[in-house]
Amino acid sequence: MTNGFVKAVIVGAGPAGLTAAYELSKKGQRVVVLEADPQYVGGIARTVEYHGYRFDVGGHRFFSKSHEVEDLWTEILGADLLQRRRSSKIYYRGKFYAYPLKPLEALSQLGVMESALCVLSFLKARLQPVRRPKSFEDWVVNEFGARLFRIFFKTYTEKVWGMSCREISADWAVQRIKGLTLGAAIQDALLPIRKTKDRTQVVKSLIDTFRYPRLGPGMMWEACAEKVRGLGGDVLLGRRVVSCRFDAGTSSWTVTTRSADGSTEEYRCEHLISSMPMQQLVEQIEPWLPAAVVQSGHSLRYRDFLTIGLILRDRGVFNDNWIYIHDPDVTMGRVQNYKAWSPEMVPDQDYCCYGLEYFCFEGDKLWTKQDADLIALGAKELQKVGLGKATDVVDGCVIRQPKAYPVYDVDYQQHVDMIRRALAANCRNLHLVGRNGMHKYNNQDHAMMTALLAARNILASTNKYDIWSVNEDGEYHESGHAGAQHRNDLEQATHTGGTEQDEVVG
């Protein structure tokens, strides 16, 4: 079946795709959003419901240094956004450490000797830094010292990525934790009265409050999808894109989808906005891109994860939003307590629901385990770290998330650069947005900003805004005043602040 011609086809109904759709729809442009998932919108920011219990796939704080993004969240969801206090910890070798750092507590937990060695290690790193750090390990050792790197960064980071910290590009450290230094953490802990109300001056890893939809992040994107439909756009689920064909003569695109029943549909448009993994896009574009470009696409890597959702009797053991598991004796990487995010995530207050996150590669032994075996593993590891008893677990489910994280290995940037050059030369009216669309470790609000700017480039009929500059340096700048809906200085607003808690140490 071939559908009518529209202004833009948008691949993916995650934060980036739906933000672009909403922005264009508000300006009277006809759009079609194509989502492979047959049930949920929101992508990695969806909320999965199981027997009335709600699970946030990843854990999402709604906090941004961009007033524009904050205003957009309020516009979409309004009173359904709760104000929450952040509470997070690190678990390491049988002990829990508050995060952000509380120096006196850390001293007592680590012991005087270990603490002294950490300080000496930090001082050594400052005096003898690695020049031009290339790897994640180099960068973090420069900022924190080798000893703190081993305690609070190495194990967890290698769980997340499944590779040595020496194989991970320093770009990822710069993007994720720039601005968070040992000195900043200590100052934040010792001088809390100096905390600023200006969000543009807050290090994202140290924020202490955030907003959160009362029924989970998926509530935001379900509401956004309904607004797009109400404005005349289509948001179609269960449509997996299998081909993107560009006609140079008419500067138009034909996008082909396949549904679960094998049926295909075609959608024609002037502009194509893609948030699908860059690797998949490169494989699907017709006419085919040069072989070297396709090979660069194949060379891009992704990290997958699964969430073991446990429903258990609430014994009041775990009241934090989340805990990072840095201990090497368990496979689990992070635990979410959804009741602490919003009480409405749990239908029966005598119970709670946790999300135990395991980082893996699609198709490996962990990914392919039977759900029942994974639930048993989760209950066992939860008890091992002292966050609940296996006998209190009454039910569970498993949520698998492929291509959750684009991998920043030491070669990724050259592959991305080659693909960008080829797309610019061969594919007009193509706009890459979002985390996987740009193979860039964006937060939710970064993804939204890339989509807003892509939509405004389309409306302006020129590339007025540099989408690739969003979050390029790991720090964020925003001009204007809170609450303003229309700004003339958007060219300067291409850096926003952190929303998700995918940080290395929280």
Side-chain angles (χ1 to χ4, degrees):
M1 181 176 78
T2 301
N3 295 272
F5 193 84
V6 298
K7 185 69 171 181
V9 165
I10 301 165
V11 182
L18 287 173
T19 297
Y22 185 42
E23 181 72 6
L24 289 169
S25 296
K26 285 194 295 183
K27 299 300 189 293
Q29 302 300 321
R30 179 76 193 283
V31 301
V32 174
V33 182
L34 303 172
E35 171 56 50
D37 193 294
Q39 184 176 0
Y40 295 106
V41 297
I44 197 173
R46 70 190 182 280
T47 301
V48 174
E49 186 174 352
Y50 176 76
H51 293 176
Y53 291 82
R54 295 173 180 272
F55 298 87
D56 177 349
V57 184
H60 294 77
R61 293 175 295 171
F62 285 69
F63 169 89
S64 181
K65 293 184 179 181
S66 165
H67 297 299
E68 179 112 11
V69 171
E70 290 276 4
D71 290 344
L72 185 56
W73 286 328
T74 301
E75 180 182 327
I76 294 171
L77 213 52
D80 284 319
L81 281 166
L82 306 177
Q83 189 74 28
R84 310 300 292 169
R85 287 200 65 81
R86 172 202 177 116
S87 178
S88 57
K89 289 187 175 72
I90 292 170
Y91 176 84
Y92 177 74
R93 297 294 189 187
K95 295 179 180 179
F96 292 92
Y97 297 81
Y99 193 83
L101 174 68
K102 294 182 179 179
L104 294 180
E105 179 198 69
L107 283 172
S108 64
Q109 293 278 58
L110 288 172
V112 175
M113 181 60 71
E114 182 63 40
S115 297
L117 291 172
C118 286
V119 171
L120 289 172
S121 175
F122 169 71
L123 293 173
K124 179 183 177 182
R126 305 309 279 178
L127 292 170
Q128 300 175 346
V130 177
R131 302 296 178 187
R132 296 178 182 173
K134 293 183 178 180
S135 72
F136 176 86
E137 181 172 336
D138 292 340
W139 194 93
V140 175
V141 168
N142 276 358
E143 296 296 322
F144 295 89
R147 207 163 188 96
L148 281 175
F149 162 75
R150 288 195 295 271
I151 294 172
F152 291 123
F153 293 87
K154 186 177 189 297
T155 299
Y156 179 75
T157 302
E158 291 183 353
K159 281 184 183 183
V160 171
W161 297 108
M163 66 179 72
S164 165
C165 289
R166 289 199 166 279
E167 296 178 71
I168 303 169
S169 171
D171 290 355
W172 187 69
V174 172
Q175 188 167 320
R176 296 304 300 171
I177 55 180
K178 183 177 179 181
L180 174 60
T181 64
L182 186 59
I186 291 172
Q187 178 177 306
D188 185 80
L190 294 178
L191 302 173
I193 60 172
R194 296 182 61 184
K195 289 179 181 176
T196 177
K197 292 183 180 180
D198 182 357
R199 286 176 173 245
T200 65
Q201 301 303 314
V202 180
V203 176
K204 72 179 185 297
S205 295
L206 299 179
I207 65 168
D208 58 4
T209 64
F210 56 88
R211 293 194 290 174
Y212 190 76
R214 61 182 180 84
L215 296 177
M219 186 183 194
M220 175 71 71
W221 302 113
E222 289 159 9
C224 188
E226 284 308 305
K227 286 181 179 292
V228 171
R229 292 179 178 121
L231 291 166
D234 291 315
V235 181
L236 306 176
L237 305 185
R239 268 75 166 185
R240 182 174 297 280
V241 172
V242 294
S243 172
C244 300
R245 188 169 67 254
F246 179 65
D247 185 332
T250 59
S251 291
S252 64
W253 289 87
T254 301
V255 180
T256 305
T257 66
R258 181 173 293 118
S259 301
D261 62 4
S263 61
T264 61
E265 296 174 341
E266 287 188 346
Y267 300 85
R268 297 181 61 246
C269 58
E270 181 181 353
H271 292 268
L272 174 61
I273 301 176
S274 175
S275 67
M276 79 167 88
M278 186 181 283
Q279 181 187 78
Q280 293 179 4
L281 176 68
V282 167
E283 293 173 345
Q284 293 181 9
I285 284 180
E286 302 176 36
W288 309 118
L289 295 171
V293 177
V294 175
Q295 183 56 50
S296 275
H298 290 161
S299 298
L300 294 176
R301 302 167 65 192
Y302 300 84
R303 187 65 163 161
D304 315 294
F305 82 86
L306 56 85
T307 297
I308 300 173
L310 298 181
I311 300 168
L312 63 162
R313 295 178 182 87
D314 190 354
R315 306 292 189 187
V317 175
F318 177 14
N319 296 312
D320 300 284
N321 304 118
W322 69 90
I323 295 178
Y324 293 100
I325 308 299
H326 288 220
D327 200 300
D329 291 337
V330 293
T331 309
M332 173 173 45
R334 188 168 56 188
V335 187
Q336 307 282 346
N337 177 9
Y338 301 114
K339 194 175 186 178
W341 290 82
S342 169
E344 293 189 55
M345 301 287 276
V346 180
D348 186 338
Q349 295 304 302
D350 289 332
Y351 292 83
C352 54
C353 60
Y354 296 165
L356 284 59
E357 297 176 5
Y358 290 78
F359 305 97
C360 51
F361 290 110
E362 188 174 0
D364 68 14
K365 289 183 179 179
L366 191 62
W367 181 272
T368 55
K369 272 183 181 288
Q370 295 295 313
D371 286 5
D373 294 333
L374 286 169
I375 291 167
L377 170 66
K380 178 183 176 182
E381 293 204 338
L382 188 73
Q383 180 167 304
K384 188 168 184 177
V385 299
L387 293 175
K389 294 182 178 179
T391 53
D392 282 338
V393 175
V394 297
D395 201 356
C397 63
V398 177
I399 305 160
R400 291 174 174 81
Q401 179 60 50
K403 293 184 170 57
Y405 306 110
V407 171
Y408 272 26
D409 57 30
V410 294
D411 297 322
Y412 90 98
Q413 191 62 61
Q414 69 185 53
H415 297 306
V416 170
D417 289 345
M418 176 178 283
I419 292 167
R420 286 182 60 189
R421 287 194 296 270
L423 295 179
N426 295 283
C427 304
R428 290 192 299 279
N429 297 347
L430 171 62
H431 311 266
L432 306 185
V433 297
R435 176 184 285 188
N436 279 341
M438 302 171 75
H439 202 85
K440 193 171 185 181
Y441 200 101
N442 286 331
N443 281 329
Q444 181 177 215
D445 64 336
H446 304 140
M448 292 171 64
M449 184 58 77
T450 64
L452 283 172
L453 298 183
R456 286 163 186 174
N457 282 341
I458 290 171
L459 294 168
S461 299
T462 185
N463 290 329
K464 184 177 181 181
Y465 306 111
D466 180 8
I467 295 171
W468 289 88
S469 70
V470 173
N471 192 32
E472 69 178 358
D473 61 0
E475 278 298 317
Y476 317 102
H477 308 287
E478 170 70 32
S479 49
H481 301 284
Q485 294 294 324
H486 303 287
R487 308 182 193 283
N488 296 322
D489 53 4
L490 271 171
E491 291 91 341
Q492 300 175 33
T494 53
H495 303 288
T496 58
T499 59
E500 295 179 11
Q501 49 83 11
D502 291 320
E503 306 145 13
V504 181
V505 293

